[in-house]
Amino acid sequence: MSNDPTDDPQSAAIEQLERLGLSAYAARTFVALASLGTGTARDVSQVSEVPRTRVYDAIDELHDRGLVDILQSSPKQFWAISAETASRTFEHELQHRTEVLRTALRELEPVERRAEQRGVWTVDGQRAVTERVREFFANAEEEIVYMTVEDLLTDDLLDVLSEAAERGVSIKLGGVSADVQARIQDDIPGATIFESLWVWSDTPAGRLMMIDGRKTLVSALVNGADASPADPRSETAIWGEGDSNSLVVVLKAIFTWRLDTETPEY
């Protein structure tokens, strides 16, 4: 399916409604009503491919979630709430569920996380890798060393880096263009920029990172820049943690040599 919902808005809407928890019939019924404005079960069935006898079950599901109103006429008429109201409804539901999930998962976490993560761990997909990087930035206490291609140094990551700098964390960035350096200078005036070991933009490399000298991550852009961030093949990364972790030892040696060689500052 295309990533652009304007190419096939009906299919895109149905898919997302199902992902948000509606049954297949309810999703099709809501989309049909959204295009009709109002309609009877017969009207909905004709444009949605939902059997007429199942439209009523779908309407009950939608009505319970506040997505349709019912006119008690003969035959009954159904009206779908607006796109803006429906979006807000699902947004509020997701926020509530996310908060419940966050609270529950925090209750399940061990009192003390292991300081040593044995072995090398893998992460697939640009979004998943970015979230891991955000988490590592947020937990940094002393130093962040980060090398990346320009497209992966997003505004969100710059915000997290800026917050880390405000906590007193040393920020050292490599492999970024002059334009990105200018942005960094505005957002993080104390950041150090160093030259990368090679022409970063000419490789399939994605990121190299070291946090506090004991946590590292390295990634590659598997399917190139055109891959969707949600595609698990868009980027793959490995990371390790702990003073004796093999990945940490190797990358720490590389970073230490490079940073000792040349670390020009703004």
Side-chain angles (χ1 to χ4, degrees):
M1 177 179 170
S2 170
N3 292 321
D4 186 355
T6 60
D7 290 344
D8 186 356
Q10 184 179 53
S11 296
I14 290 171
E15 178 184 359
Q16 296 308 313
L17 288 169
E18 290 181 12
R19 288 176 179 266
L20 288 166
L22 291 186
S23 67
Y25 283 154
R28 289 181 175 276
T29 296
F30 184 80
V31 169
L33 284 172
S35 61
L36 289 170
T38 60
T40 64
R42 180 180 179 181
D43 297 331
V44 170
S45 180
Q46 287 177 339
V47 300
S48 67
E49 299 182 358
V50 176
R52 185 173 176 180
T53 56
R54 300 303 301 273
V55 170
Y56 295 102
D57 292 334
I59 289 294
D60 287 341
E61 179 181 338
L62 295 168
H63 188 61
D64 288 344
R65 299 186 66 166
L67 298 173
V68 299
D69 291 345
I70 302 173
L71 177 65
Q72 299 298 333
S73 58
S74 183
K76 290 182 178 180
Q77 294 275 338
F78 310 115
W79 172 83
I81 62 176
S82 68
E84 290 75 15
T85 303
S87 298
R88 285 196 300 270
T89 298
F90 283 113
E91 184 177 358
H92 293 156
E93 285 187 10
L94 283 174
Q95 288 175 346
H96 173 70
R97 292 182 181 183
T98 301
E99 187 57 38
V100 171
L101 175 61
R102 182 183 295 112
T103 301
L105 291 178
R106 283 176 175 169
E107 290 296 318
L108 294 170
E109 286 184 343
V111 176
E112 293 185 6
R113 282 186 174 271
R114 290 180 51 156
E116 181 84 17
Q117 295 288 350
R118 296 181 180 178
V120 174
W121 302 77
T122 61
V123 187
D124 290 322
Q126 189 178 120
R127 287 179 180 170
V129 175
T130 297
E131 284 304 311
R132 205 71 73 251
V133 170
R134 285 173 56 90
E135 178 184 349
F136 292 169
F137 284 174
N139 292 328
E141 297 178 353
E142 299 176 0
E143 181 185 65
I144 295 173
V145 184
Y146 189 49
M147 298 172 65
T148 185
V149 294
E150 182 175 338
D151 290 343
L152 295 180
L153 191 60
T154 62
D155 289 339
D156 287 344
L157 287 181
L158 281 175
D159 289 342
V160 183
L161 283 171
S162 181
E163 292 170 2
E166 291 174 0
R167 299 196 306 271
V169 177
S170 173
I171 310 296
K172 299 175 181 177
L173 301 170
V176 294
S177 67
D179 290 340
V180 175
Q181 288 186 26
R183 289 169 55 204
I184 295 170
Q185 186 176 18
D186 291 338
D187 295 344
I188 316 171
T192 297
I193 302 297
F194 62 94
E195 295 298 325
S196 63
L197 296 171
W198 54 84
V199 181
W200 197 255
S201 60
D202 292 342
T203 74
R207 328 179 199 226
L208 274 175
M209 181 183 74
M210 181 171 67
I211 303 293
D212 297 336
R214 61 186 324 275
K215 181 183 291 184
T216 56
L217 178 146
V218 57
S219 79
L221 300 177
V222 183
N223 271 9
D226 294 334
S228 166
D231 186 344
R233 299 164 298 176
S234 58
E235 184 178 8
T236 189
I238 56 174
W239 67 273
E241 181 177 7
D243 294 330
S244 61
N245 185 282
S246 57
L247 183 65
V248 173
V249 171
V250 171
L251 290 185
K252 185 175 182 179
I254 294 174
F255 276 130
T256 300
W257 171 80
R258 187 59 189 173
L259 291 171
D260 286 346
T261 302
E262 183 181 11
T263 54
E265 298 187 7
Y266 285 124

